[in-house]
Amino acid sequence: MIIEGPRVRLRPLTADDRARAQEILATPEVALWWGDAVHEVESLYEVEPGFASYAIDLDGETVGLIQSSEELDPQYRHAGIDIAIDPAHHGRGLGTEAIRTLAHHLFAQGHHRLTIDPAATNTTAIHVYTKLGFRPIGLLRAYERGPDGTFHDGLLMDMLAGELR
């Protein structure tokens, strides 16, 4: 399924995207938050129910990656989002638009709540997510292993349907 935004187009990742995805995830600015590019690229291609990975295209060029993971149990139904934008395209609002586009799609699919979990020190991402309507829920202590091999805190944020800005 292709999801169109005002400027960006979200399309399912294909095998042809593997090299570009690795290139984006290997940039120092992205690897700081995502870790090992090879491992992370392979995780984008894991086929699991409720999991979808998309290329973020702008004028025919892949400028980033975005994924959603859906909790399918009706009692807890919600979705999470992760994103990576090529640093050459930072500061242009493309990540904001991609998240907004995917969030609209997920809400239209019946989700009432979305989550996102940036590193607690990733102030740029937290600013963008807050601008979109995500709210901090709590600190996830020693949440994920960073590229330096130590565990770092994460910030759990969520947004309810109707809060997207």
Side-chain angles (χ1 to χ4, degrees):
M1 166 182 285
I2 294 173
I3 307 167
E4 298 283 348
R7 293 181 298 162
V8 300
R9 179 178 185 241
L10 311 181
R11 62 169 178 78
L13 284 180
T14 68
D16 293 340
D17 294 313
R18 207 173 229 104
R20 180 65 175 133
Q22 187 167 338
E23 181 182 318
I24 292 168
L25 295 178
T27 60
E29 299 92 329
V30 175
L32 176 64
W33 310 113
W34 276 71
D36 177 51
V38 173
H39 169 76
E40 294 300 335
V41 166
E42 292 311 309
S43 73
L44 292 171
Y45 287 91
E46 291 175 4
V47 179
E48 296 178 28
F51 183 84
S53 296
Y54 302 92
I56 302 169
D57 289 344
L58 174 69
D59 299 327
E61 177 187 0
T62 298
V63 299
L65 312 162
I66 193 166
Q67 61 185 11
S68 64
S69 55
E70 300 178 73
E71 170 56 61
L72 301 175
D73 181 330
Q75 188 167 344
Y76 300 98
R77 187 165 165 76
H78 71 280
I81 296 175
D82 284 308
I83 187 168
I85 299 291
D86 182 334
H89 297 278
H90 283 181
R92 298 173 55 192
L94 300 175
T96 302
E97 182 180 327
I99 293 170
R100 185 178 289 119
T101 299
L102 184 55
H104 274 296
H105 170 75
L106 292 167
F107 286 136
Q109 296 299 309
H111 292 287
H112 73 286
R113 179 175 163 264
L114 303 178
T115 62
I116 201 157
D117 58 353
T121 56
N122 191 344
T123 56
T124 302
I126 293 166
H127 172 76
V128 169
Y129 305 154
T130 301
K131 180 173 64 171
L132 283 162
F134 284 94
R135 296 179 187 180
I137 298 302
L139 188 67
L140 302 164
R141 300 180 307 144
Y143 179 59
E144 62 187 350
R145 189 181 309 272
D148 64 359
T150 64
F151 282 93
H152 300 270
D153 295 343
L155 179 65
L156 180 60
M157 303 178 78
D158 78 356
M159 173 188 348
L160 301 177
E163 294 176 344
L164 180 62
R165 296 184 207 132

